[in-house]
Amino acid sequence: MQMPTPDARVLGRKAEIVDRLRRVLPADAVIDDVAETRAYECDALTAYKCPPLAAVLPANTDEVAAVLKICHELDVPVVPRGSGTSLAGGALPTADCVILGVSKLNDVLETDYDNRFIRVQTGRTNLSVTGAVEEEDFFYAPDPSSQLACAISGNIAMNSGGAHCLKYGVTTNNLLGVTMVMMDGTVVELGGAHLDAPGLDLLGVICGSEGQLGVVTEATLRILRKPEGARPVLMGFDANEVAGACVSDIIKAGVLPVAIEFMDRPCIRACEAFAKAGYPDCEALLIVEVEGSDAEIDHQLRLIMEIAKRHNPVELREAKDADEAGRIWLGRKSAFGAMGQINDYMCLDGTIPVSELPRVLTRIGEMSKEYGLDVANVFHAGDGNMHPLILFDANKEGDLEKCEAMGADILKLCVEVGGCLTGEHGVGIEKRDLMHVQYAPADLEAQMAVKDVFDPNWLLNPAKVFPLDASDARRALDVAAE
Amino acid sequence: MTPTSEDELSAAIKSAKGPLQIRGGGTRGGAGTGTVLDTGGLSGITLYEPGALTLVAGAGTPVAEIEAALAAENQRLAFEPIDHRAILGTTGTPTLGGVAATNASGPRRIQVGAARDFMLGVRYVDGAGNIVKNGGRVMKNVTGYDLVKLMAGSWGQLGVMTEVSLKVLPVPEMIATLRINGLDDAQAVQAMSRALGSPFEITGAAHAPNGPDGHPVTMLRIEGFETQITYRAAELKKLLAAFGDITLETDQDRAAAGWAWVRDAELMKDQPGDIWRFSVKPSDGPALARALGADDILYDWGGGLVWARMPEGTDARASMGGIAGHGTLVRMSDAARGTIPRLHPEPAPVAKITDGLRARFDPRGLFSPVTEPA
């Protein structure tokens, strides 16, 4: 992975930079010891590492503003970091950057059940937002798999979703307002506890901007009342195409399940060997979950099972109680761990139109043979977000490179059939250089123009999202201006 | 000018000598002054996959054409775009581009989101004539910045949309409206909040102090399979018993007509004065209405959307006091024109971003700022 050469002028001024930061933050909130900064050298994409120049841990909006003002003045790149769970290298440091971690920003500022929102500092973890309101039977809907650990700041940066987004949407659909600090230290408020944006929807463009437009310190989030109950049904089919057609028929029938998960044969076998959930040995497996009262669930599941029966399932199993529901989900939820037991793997994150599913799975199967690497597929079938897991041996020379090449081919295939490079993990550094595949130069220019407005010197998370050759001139601007 | 392709549109913008007035169906008014740039030539549904819940169409496509195609597959635009013709007194045909450019959303916004939440992708031509695409036609997409949201509700300030892809949803088996008569505004908002805080998936919550029958009416909508309607209606009656008698409207046409009345603020049709639309936190709605002293008030979104009909030339924003939120002047009389801005003034740092974006997307200033509504 190519990264820009660290700015020698910044590296040479480390002492001055750290000294300035220490003057505005408590002593323990500025980390510049080489051994300690190693804790920040990568995020969850551990293949790439680089210790930052320093790391700071401000505790409120004012401190964040003070840090950014200094870094702006001294031309120091800043990489914002939530919990560091990015799978795309979105929080990967550069040697000349200050990591701005929001882990100390974890307070609940306001809960309002009548108006159905919660206001939190953004270092708070996703699951603990629900934790703060579940006594009143409310929850925060976006549920990325990392929700136990990931921070709301990162959710906003990556516009995170999860298994239940078919019904509840992703972060952008549940974010009402933010307090954000711009790179020059200016604090702006966007949105609020009300629903509509006046003027341009800046909140909409902040969400998913991968920490490049500002540092979000506080967020107003929509909370919802928990459904009375939920129950899954498991169905096995003897062909991927049949399972795909069944998904489409369920959706067309007017049932809106809260989740539809799809697993292919290699994934089913691996999960079964690992979790012993009692999955049938078949080509494709669906888990469909619906919500409501018991009677409502019965009605919806009856409809879904009737549709499934028309597709000659090899297995059709409705959960009768919580225990059975747990077992249906067990295999799916342990998919990533199960694959990890077998091999090293790379988890991709492309999205395709649901109708292209059979064609894409067939083609991935062919690529698997061409590259000599096994692939297991698990994905959110309701929205076409695929997670092909490519198995490889990290200790075998050349295997990682082969795996990366195959991954790139699969993502290109996703774009070719009308989908996109990333459904929920983000671009980061991982898919940065593939952006040309999905976007023409004018498309990238339009996005980069937005960054120009928010962060004219390109100091916030600068070498991410956009291919280096596309953003070269802009990132060099502030150097040239000296 | 009525370009029939993106390339023609791009050429037209590149060769423009002065301000352009972007016009879809012309039903929402106020896209500035200058040479009319008609998007009617960019019309037609280019892709519709009912099983994937996606539809792609040209910006000039009439909304009615889209709704008819969806209805044939028992699907719909779940965000229920408001038709502005009633209150603005305009004629013409609402288009997809107009819906997208104004983020036109109706009562179901509280449950499923606004137009912006259903827009998966856009293609547009910016003020320099560049053809740009963003997003796509899949439900989940975090590839680069979400310019789709930036274009949604931008009133053509940043570019002329040529194509929009949408997420659509199935039509539920039935809808029903629960009605409570005679509540005052504060009680109504409390009742709506209690219902919206229940697990019964309310898809509309509105209150008219002066309803169609001349008395205060609070309306709650539920949608789904008949079994769900029966169960939820009974549960809601129990939950809201303290607020008074609740009647249930299950006639599909009458229920639909009631929500169209709310969606289009028909109460204010053919009435004099300026029409304002405030977005506030629901519990602030009644206090805002009191402060406004309007000639007519209608609450949607559980109290968070306050429609107000005010005497001509009244700066209703001045009455907001410390209430957080914002007001938009939707219908402007001659008395208000040029003196009261259409959109709520932005704080300086936000205005700086808005101005910066407009300068980047429209460097020659061809597209008008949003100042002059109908």
Side-chain angles (χ1 to χ4, degrees):
Chain A
M1 179 59 56
Q2 197 197 340
M3 288 299 276
T5 315
D7 188 337
R9 297 164 314 153
V10 173
L11 296 177
R13 287 200 311 247
K14 176 173 174 174
E16 180 197 352
I17 295 162
V18 170
D19 180 54
R20 289 282 303 272
L21 292 170
R22 287 229 159 92
R23 274 188 256 160
V24 298
L25 292 182
D28 63 348
V30 181
I31 299 161
D32 71 322
D33 178 82
V34 177
E36 286 180 59
T37 55
R38 286 215 175 272
Y40 299 92
E41 68 184 1
C42 69
D43 53 25
L45 182 66
T46 53
Y48 305 104
K49 292 177 178 164
C50 174
L53 183 86
V56 294
L57 302 171
N60 55 49
T61 303
D62 289 343
E63 288 185 2
V64 171
V67 166
L68 289 177
K69 212 169 183 169
I70 291 168
C71 292
H72 184 251
E73 195 186 315
L74 300 177
D75 258 335
V76 183
V78 174
V79 175
R81 179 184 171 103
S83 299
T85 57
S86 168
L87 293 165
L92 176 75
T94 50
D96 58 359
C97 88
V98 167
I99 285 275
L100 193 164
V102 296
S103 57
K104 286 188 179 172
L105 292 154
N106 53 22
D107 285 344
V108 171
L109 304 169
E110 188 180 2
T111 46
D112 185 333
Y113 298 104
D114 281 343
N115 293 303
R116 300 166 300 284
F117 72 86
I118 182 169
R119 199 158 58 85
V120 297
Q121 287 186 310
T122 56
R124 196 168 180 87
T125 62
N126 175 294
L127 199 59
S128 74
V129 173
T130 289
V133 295
E134 67 187 347
E135 267 192 8
E136 298 286 329
D137 280 333
F138 275 76
F139 74 112
Y140 174 58
D143 59 341
S145 301
S146 57
Q147 67 183 149
L148 185 65
C150 63
I152 292 297
S153 63
N155 287 180
I156 294 170
M158 293 305 187
N159 191 15
S160 304
H164 292 79
C165 78
L166 182 61
K167 180 171 176 188
Y168 295 113
V170 294
T171 303
T172 192
N173 313 114
N174 292 278
L175 178 67
L176 296 171
V178 295
T179 299
M180 184 181 82
V181 188
M182 313 266 292
M183 186 62 215
D184 65 5
T186 309
V187 177
V188 293
E189 303 276 345
L190 300 173
H194 47 86
L195 280 179
D196 253 11
L200 297 177
D201 187 355
L202 301 180
L203 190 60
V205 80
I206 295 304
C207 193
S209 63
E210 307 206 9
Q212 295 197 310
L213 303 183
V215 177
V216 177
T217 56
E218 295 174 12
T220 305
L221 308 168
R222 187 178 175 225
I223 50 171
L224 303 171
R225 177 70 185 261
K226 280 188 178 163
E228 289 170 277
R231 214 186 308 152
V233 57
L234 175 98
M235 38 184 96
F237 298 94
D238 52 18
N240 291 329
E241 287 83 350
V242 181
C246 185
V247 169
S248 160
D249 285 351
I250 291 169
I251 288 172
K252 276 197 280 190
V255 194
L256 195 60
V258 69
I260 307 180
E261 299 289 302
F262 184 118
M263 298 159 79
D264 70 356
R265 184 188 280 276
C267 187
I268 299 165
R269 282 194 170 159
C271 292
E272 187 53 28
F274 178 75
K276 306 211 169 22
Y279 285 178
D281 188 26
C282 56
E283 281 302 317
L285 197 145
L286 296 178
I287 298 173
V288 184
E289 181 158 281
V290 297
E291 291 180 342
S293 66
D294 269 342
E296 291 173 317
I297 290 173
D298 284 344
H299 181 79
Q300 294 178 78
L301 286 186
R302 203 159 49 242
L303 273 172
I304 288 171
M305 309 245 289
E306 273 166 26
I307 293 165
K309 278 178 195 152
R310 295 207 293 269
H311 294 277
N312 301 316
V314 297
E315 170 113 11
L316 196 54
R317 191 191 305 165
E318 185 190 337
K320 292 275 184 292
D321 53 37
D323 184 50
E324 280 184 281
R327 261 183 295 131
I328 286 178
W329 275 112
L330 177 67
R332 166 64 185 90
K333 289 193 172 161
S334 50
F336 293 74
M339 301 308 291
Q341 289 274 306
I342 303 176
N343 260 96
D344 301 304
Y345 68 82
M346 176 187 272
C347 172
L348 301 181
D349 170 46
T351 300
I352 56 165
V354 183
S355 54
E356 296 287 343
L357 193 57
R359 187 175 140 199
V360 169
L361 288 179
T362 303
R363 184 70 195 110
I364 289 177
E366 289 164 10
M367 285 184 196
S368 168
K369 290 199 186 79
E370 285 160 26
Y371 279 94
L373 294 174
D374 285 334
V375 183
N377 283 288
V378 48
F379 57 94
H380 312 306
D383 53 38
N385 189 190
M386 315 182 66
H387 295 300
L389 304 175
I390 309 176
L391 306 186
F392 71 105
D393 183 349
N395 295 319
K396 197 168 146 194
E397 200 174 326
D399 239 28
L400 174 64
E401 290 71 19
K402 202 156 71 167
C403 182
E404 285 181 327
M406 180 173 168
D409 277 353
I410 293 177
L411 293 179
K412 285 178 192 167
L413 174 67
C414 290
V415 174
E416 191 186 307
V417 301
C420 61
L421 294 172
T422 169
E424 60 186 4
H425 294 178
V427 178
I429 52 156
E430 192 196 23
K431 278 148 285 190
R432 186 190 69 189
D433 298 322
L434 286 173
M435 286 287 272
H436 287 308
V437 176
Q438 186 171 338
Y439 289 120
D443 307 333
L444 289 177
E445 269 299 316
Q447 295 179 35
M448 291 191 292
V450 172
K451 179 150 175 71
D452 292 341
V453 172
F454 282 85
D455 175 22
N457 297 336
W458 279 61
L459 287 172
L460 266 174
N461 218 5
K464 314 281 166 63
V465 184
F466 303 106
L468 290 186
D469 57 355
S471 65
D472 258 347
R474 288 174 155 94
R475 284 179 293 105
L477 264 185
D478 67 311
V479 179
E482 292 277 315
Chain B
M1 287 188 288
T2 309
T4 56
S5 70
E6 263 175 3
D7 288 336
E8 276 181 37
L9 174 62
S10 166
I13 289 177
K14 278 181 182 158
S15 63
K17 299 282 186 287
L20 295 170
Q21 185 181 351
I22 308 163
R23 185 184 292 257
T27 64
R28 304 185 201 270
T33 53
T35 308
V36 172
L37 187 54
D38 184 339
T39 60
L42 303 160
S43 177
I45 296 167
T46 50
L47 179 144
Y48 176 29
E49 287 185 16
L53 301 174
T54 44
L55 180 141
V56 184
T61 313
V63 174
E65 185 181 327
I66 291 170
E67 285 176 337
L70 293 174
E73 295 287 343
N74 207 28
Q75 296 187 339
R76 66 180 179 184
L77 298 176
F79 58 91
E80 252 186 315
I82 169 178
D83 182 342
H84 278 96
R85 284 177 293 188
I87 50 169
L88 296 185
T90 49
T91 53
T93 309
T95 62
L96 175 59
V99 165
T102 59
N103 191 26
S105 314
R108 210 175 284 106
R109 163 123 191 53
I110 45 165
Q111 199 222 7
V112 299
R116 55 93 90 177
D117 296 292
F118 286 83
M119 288 169 63
L120 303 175
V122 294
R123 297 182 62 89
Y124 67 90
V125 180
D126 71 12
N130 297 307
I131 298 170
V132 180
K133 72 163 186 294
N134 191 262
R137 63 176 174 102
V138 287
M139 306 251 174
K140 269 166 106 185
N141 182 352
V142 291
T143 322
Y145 296 172
D146 193 352
L147 303 187
V148 177
K149 303 289 181 290
L150 198 56
M151 296 306 289
S154 64
W155 282 86
Q157 293 183 86
L158 303 177
V160 185
M161 277 183 266
T162 58
E163 186 184 272
V164 179
S165 43
L166 293 169
K167 173 185 172 181
V168 300
L169 284 179
V171 176
E173 193 170 274
M174 70 181 286
I175 67 172
T177 305
L178 290 109
R179 272 204 217 103
I180 313 173
N181 288 330
L183 299 184
D184 68 29
D185 295 9
Q187 291 167 330
V189 169
Q190 280 166 17
M192 291 191 285
S193 287
R194 191 166 302 173
L196 286 163
S198 77
F200 307 121
E201 300 185 355
I202 304 296
T203 70
H207 174 71
N210 182 23
D213 302 329
H215 53 69
V217 60
T218 310
M219 299 161 63
L220 296 164
R221 179 173 59 187
I222 45 178
E223 297 173 283
F225 295 105
E226 196 176 349
T227 48
Q228 289 174 306
I229 299 291
T230 310
Y231 170 76
R232 291 177 179 188
E235 290 298 308
L236 283 162
K237 279 183 180 175
K238 276 187 252 167
L239 183 72
L240 303 175
F243 292 95
D245 289 341
I246 297 171
T247 56
L248 185 68
E249 175 65 80
T250 53
D251 179 278
Q252 297 302 282
D253 292 336
R254 280 205 298 270
W259 288 101
W261 183 84
V262 172
R263 181 193 70 192
D264 298 340
E266 274 183 44
L267 173 72
M268 298 176 189
K269 180 183 170 182
D270 301 328
Q271 301 291 319
D274 296 336
I275 296 179
W276 289 79
R277 192 175 178 277
F278 286 88
S279 186
V280 293
K281 158 170 106 169
S283 61
D284 284 341
L288 173 68
R290 264 197 313 278
L292 292 174
D295 294 327
D296 256 325
I297 285 282
L298 173 68
Y299 299 89
D300 196 355
W301 300 352
L305 171 60
V306 181
W307 288 95
R309 186 169 63 82
M310 304 283 293
E312 293 187 355
T314 310
D315 185 357
R317 285 184 200 108
S319 308
M320 284 187 82
I323 297 173
H326 60 93
T328 305
L329 184 47
V330 177
R331 189 180 73 194
M332 185 183 275
S333 59
D334 288 340
R337 200 173 304 276
T339 58
I340 305 175
R342 171 187 207 134
L343 296 186
H344 206 100
E346 294 175 323
V350 178
K352 191 178 159 199
I353 298 171
T354 299
D355 292 346
L357 290 170
R358 288 189 55 215
R360 284 287 178 153
F361 281 68
D362 178 21
R364 290 193 292 149
L366 298 176
F367 308 137
S368 314
V370 191
T371 48
E372 299 278 300

